[in-house]
Amino acid sequence: MANRIPLFNFAVPRIRILHYSWLAFFITFLIWFAHASLMPTLKVYFGMSDAQVKALLMLNVALTIPARVLIGVLVDKIGPRKSYSALLLISGILCLLFAAAQTYNQLAVMRFLLGFVGAGFVIGIRLISEWFPAREVGIAEGIYGGWGNFGAAVASMSMPFLAFHVFGGADGWRAAVATTGVIAILYSYVFYRGVRDTPEGSTYFRPMKAGGLEVTTKGDFVFYAFMTAPLYLALVLLAWRLSPAGLKLLSAGETQIAYLAILLLTVYQYYKIWHVNKHLFVANAPVPPRYQFKQVAILNLAYMACFGSELAVVSMLPQFFIDYFEVSKSLAGLTAGCFAVMNLFARPGGGYLSDAKGRRRVLMICLLGQTLGYALMSQMGNSGWTLAMAVGVVLATSIFVQGACGAVYSIVPLIQRRMTGQIAGMAGAYGNVGGVLFLTVFSMVSPTGFFYVLAGTAALAFIGSFFIAEPRGHMIEVHPDGRIEKIAVE
């Protein structure tokens, strides 16, 4: 049974950590999506073609795929406090450079690098799991993810207002975007001073080897290798879409360099996977505490369907409302922001219900609702639809999308504590695989076809959720001195 948590009792240490964490995540999303609602303005300012606009949207989520995997390894190794502080500082500097861009190429490069900021989410998942017991982890992770993810909605609604009405002028967008960078830099110091990795007296369990997930059977090793491939195939897809055969942002030579870089990154990752798990192929070698990798694989697919679709929808909705309902740029930002605004309560709600009613059951219900919602959204461009009807359907669909995200991350911390960062990183990376895949689809088909693809992916994830196992009993961790510790997962 889920417990209520004293959400505004700041004298409770774990509550303070929760608030530090969601605010850090909020700032990363504020930076990550600061440009989305300003895209119509940027399009005119830099004289961008439609292809260049679409390329910029895809670049925004590209680097996040390997970055989430890398940050997952990093947070498990050095801890959340140092990891989040460094990420906020670096991202704030990159944001200032984006605001200072003078050409489209500079803008594109900085947007690509700013995909790094999307990896921040992974850090808080590990931090929250260290401070909250299993009976509260769903609601705590939901608040962290939901309130933090609300940064996308705030960016969508506030950036046009700041750019046009507070700063004004042709360069008002620069000041609006730069403001988010300054906030991140200042908060990196606040976070570093205010946060601990674990409660006093607790052990921060680290993986035996870094660089790849530890799996416990040969079959899981093959499954893990298979599930790793889409992370890099998504990067290949992105490079192809930006090549002369696609949007023509990259030259033929630059495309070949991109392919080579992806190949080297892939080879390195598979080498690390082998290095971490080669003991499985040695007779009588000790095996770490067992867990089922299928849990990770199913959550990867589910998060691709829910968060991946959110990334794509939040990026394309402002222009969709302008094109189909002829609203102003400011109103387009507000109406599109309503998709992300549901994060405030839908993600925490998904996490709370997961704690109370069963994590598998809630995930299944949310994925089914998401499937039906996207099927309805595919009809929004038809005659007879009013703006109010469209916004209503968007809001309803978003509730299920965000609820599914909350349900996914109510399970992630309960699989294996020492690798929570890496598991969260892989699931999060799959979310970005979805973002790249869906935005690529959007660049090639009509909005109706785009929403049908989202509905189909959600349906596939719904089928996969039938096979996930409800966390029961305890997970086992081993102290450096060999002592065994049981950590309750229900």
Side-chain angles (χ1 to χ4, degrees):
M1 176 63 68
N3 287 357
R4 292 185 178 181
I5 62 176
L7 187 54
F8 296 104
N9 186 351
F10 294 94
V12 180
R14 73 183 189 282
I15 300 301
R16 290 200 302 272
I17 293 296
L18 176 59
H19 288 287
Y20 273 117
S21 301
W22 78 254
L23 187 53
F25 183 34
F26 177 95
I27 292 171
T28 63
F29 257 55
L30 190 66
I31 288 176
W32 200 11
F33 289 97
H35 75 300
S37 58
L38 295 173
M39 191 60 72
T41 300
L42 295 175
K43 181 179 180 181
V44 174
Y45 190 96
F46 288 94
M48 287 188 272
S49 65
D50 289 340
Q52 287 177 314
V53 170
K54 292 176 179 179
L56 208 61
L57 293 175
M58 287 189 289
L59 285 170
N60 192 48
V61 298
L63 188 60
T64 317
I65 296 172
R68 284 191 164 182
V69 175
L70 173 64
I71 292 296
V73 173
L74 187 67
V75 69
D76 285 342
K77 184 175 182 179
I78 71 171
R81 175 172 170 259
K82 293 179 181 178
S83 301
Y84 232 148
S85 300
L87 181 136
L88 286 164
L89 177 61
I90 294 169
S91 300
I93 294 170
L94 291 174
C95 190
L96 295 178
L97 293 174
F98 176 82
Q102 299 299 314
T103 66
Y104 174 77
N105 286 342
Q106 292 175 5
L107 200 73
V109 169
M110 298 317 304
R111 201 68 245 168
F112 171 73
L113 294 177
L114 270 168
F116 172 76
V117 75
F121 169 67
V122 174
I123 304 172
I125 295 297
R126 176 73 196 254
L127 181 59
I128 296 300
S129 72
E130 293 290 336
W131 283 83
F132 283 82
R135 66 182 181 276
E136 296 176 349
V137 77
I139 179 63
E141 297 285 13
I143 290 170
Y144 165 71
W147 291 13
N149 212 324
F150 186 61
V154 172
S156 181
M157 293 182 283
S158 66
M159 288 296 104
F161 177 78
L162 289 175
F164 305 143
H165 304 294
V166 175
F167 297 111
D171 289 319
W173 70 269
R174 295 186 186 275
V177 171
T179 299
T180 65
V182 172
I183 291 171
I185 292 170
L186 294 176
Y187 193 69
S188 67
Y189 176 77
V190 173
F191 189 89
Y192 187 81
R193 291 297 301 270
V195 168
R196 289 173 49 94
D197 288 336
T198 63
E200 189 171 354
S202 296
T203 300
Y204 190 82
F205 290 102
R206 292 174 168 83
M208 299 175 187
K209 298 178 183 178
L213 278 175
E214 300 167 11
V215 294
T216 55
T217 68
K218 294 178 182 178
D220 278 354
F221 176 83
V222 174
F223 198 4
Y224 176 31
F226 174 78
M227 291 298 295
T228 298
L231 303 181
Y232 300 98
L233 290 175
L235 296 179
V236 172
L237 174 62
L238 177 64
W240 174 78
R241 284 298 297 156
L242 299 177
S243 74
L247 299 174
K248 299 179 175 61
L249 180 66
L250 299 178
S251 67
E254 290 169 336
T255 302
Q256 293 302 315
I257 292 172
Y259 287 148
L260 178 60
I262 295 168
L263 176 62
L264 293 175
L265 186 61
T266 304
V267 170
Y268 176 76
Q269 183 60 43
Y270 275 103
Y271 166 75
K272 297 299 292 185
I273 290 172
W274 168 254
H275 175 71
V276 169
N277 294 290
K278 61 184 178 181
H279 63 275
L280 295 173
F281 299 87
V282 177
N284 301 319
V287 177
R290 294 185 181 276
Y291 73 99
Q292 294 180 307
F293 181 77
K294 75 167 187 178
Q295 300 283 83
V296 179
I298 296 169
L299 293 175
N300 290 347
L301 178 60
Y303 205 61
M304 183 178 79
C306 55
F307 182 68
S309 66
E310 180 188 351
L311 280 179
V313 170
V314 168
S315 295
M316 57 76 67
L317 269 185
Q319 195 64 50
F320 176 86
F321 279 118
I322 290 172
D323 293 341
Y324 284 85
F325 295 98
E326 299 180 348
V327 299
S328 67
K329 294 176 183 177
S330 295
L331 184 57
L334 289 171
T335 51
C338 69
F339 189 88
V341 79
M342 290 296 100
N343 274 298
L344 274 178
F345 69 87
R347 268 211 191 198
Y352 176 79
L353 291 173
S354 295
D355 290 340
K357 303 298 182 182
R359 304 177 198 280
R360 175 174 172 269
R361 179 189 303 171
V362 173
L363 179 60
M364 292 176 66
I365 291 171
C366 289
L367 288 171
L368 179 60
Q370 177 181 330
T371 301
L372 299 175
Y374 280 136
L376 279 175
M377 287 177 68
S378 70
Q379 305 303 307
M380 289 193 305
N382 295 343
S383 60
W385 278 74
T386 65
L387 179 62
M389 290 170 58
V391 170
V393 169
V394 167
L395 286 172
T397 303
S398 181
I399 290 173
F400 289 105
V401 172
Q402 316 307 342
C405 291
V408 167
Y409 277 95
S410 74
I411 302 173
V412 164
L414 305 180
I415 296 176
Q416 200 65 59
R417 174 64 60 84
R418 69 183 181 277
M419 297 184 298
T420 295
Q422 293 177 80
I423 295 170
M426 190 172 188
Y430 258 83
N432 285 87
V433 167
V436 170
L437 175 63
F438 299 142
L439 284 172
T440 300
V441 170
F442 175 64
S443 71
M444 302 170 70
V445 303
S446 68
T448 296
F450 168 73
F451 288 120
Y452 273 135
V453 169
L454 299 187
T457 307
L460 183 62
F462 169 71
I463 294 170
S465 66
F466 278 89
F467 301 97
I468 201 164
E470 185 80 17
R472 299 292 186 194
H474 297 80
M475 69 176 93
I476 304 298
E477 289 293 359
V478 182
H479 287 268
D481 61 6
R483 288 181 296 115
I484 301 296
E485 182 169 333
K486 294 183 177 181
I487 302 172
V489 297
E490 60 180 335

